Amino acid sequence: MYTQLEQRGMPEPPVNVSTLHKMKADGEPIACLTAYDASYAVLVDAAGTDLVLVGDSLGMVIQGHDTTVPVTVDDIIYHSRTVARGLRRAFLVADMPFMSYTKPAQALDNAVRLMQEGGAMMVKLEGGDDQVEIVEHLARHDIPVCAHLGLKPQSVHKIGGFKVQGRDPDNAKEMRASAKRLQDAGADIVLLECVPNEVGKAITETLDVPVIGIGAGPNVDGQILVLYDILDITQGRTPRFVKNFQAGCDSPLLALEAYVQAVKTKAYPEPEHCFS
Ligand code: KIV
């Protein structure tokens, strides 16, 4: 009865939460990317990506907004559904958009929609201590959760720009304590954005659950980047942690394979992609 979920006729079974936890335990880097449509989802999956995020970054790279704030639950569902159709092996995570998880009941309703209508296997929300109750509520209802810490793009107007977080030792200590509380509340993964290397390392060592970094240095359990950034589609200034993997590759699939290989061998990130 369960063979469909486990095999889908594939040489390698699909990635699930247990796979990701085992990868952390075994020290195997987890290669993650965003995707927003079925065609790229097929390529990202074929390249061997372990986890695919339908991020609210779609507000910027697909919709052309300056921030992720305008993205709605319906937007994420639409894109998640298309990505789900393209994936075979990778684990699918969908973002909870701005203000879609202000109360436990609202968060649960929206998380259920992302899973039932969008095909997501896990939801991601941005938060610290204020989200502990939400994470607990979702976890109690068996909704897998990724907690996003460090730079939280949905708070861009509050923090005054996309800035490195955790440089101040008190702030770094607080972030580490929040990460532990979110894990204890039931978060299955933590995503850490734009923090100094030593903060990424300390949080990764503190937690039992996998820590996926984006601009969080080399000493985390996995890396994630925005698909359009690594394929050199994004024009203008990109963040320090971005690497163009399309350069020197004849096709998007070869570029994606180069990214996965660089994450797996820890060739990415290099010092130039990191913060101190
Ligand atoms: O929305 C997104 O793409 C993200 C990444 C920055 C990880 O949250």
Side-chain angles (χ1 to χ4, degrees), residues 82-99:
T82 65
V83 169
R85 288 187 201 118
L87 298 184
R88 288 170 62 78
R89 175 184 167 273
F91 188 72
L92 178 57
V93 183
D95 251 339
M96 303 276 287
F98 180 64
M99 292 298 140

Side-chain angles (χ1 to χ4, degrees), residues 34 36 53 55-58 68 95 124 126 148 153 191 193 214 224 226:
T34 66
Y36 314 99
L53 169 70
D56 59 1
S57 52
L58 69 85
T68 60
D95 251 339
K124 173 166 85 61
E126 295 181 11
H148 183 150
L191 187 145
E193 178 164 359
I214 174 162
I224 186 164
V226 169

Side-chain angles (χ1 to χ4, degrees), residues 127-137 178 181-182 184-186:
D129 285 356
D130 290 346
Q131 271 61 49
V132 165
E133 190 194 354
I134 304 281
V135 170
E136 242 162 27
H137 191 66
S178 292
R181 276 194 279 272
L182 288 161
D184 294 347

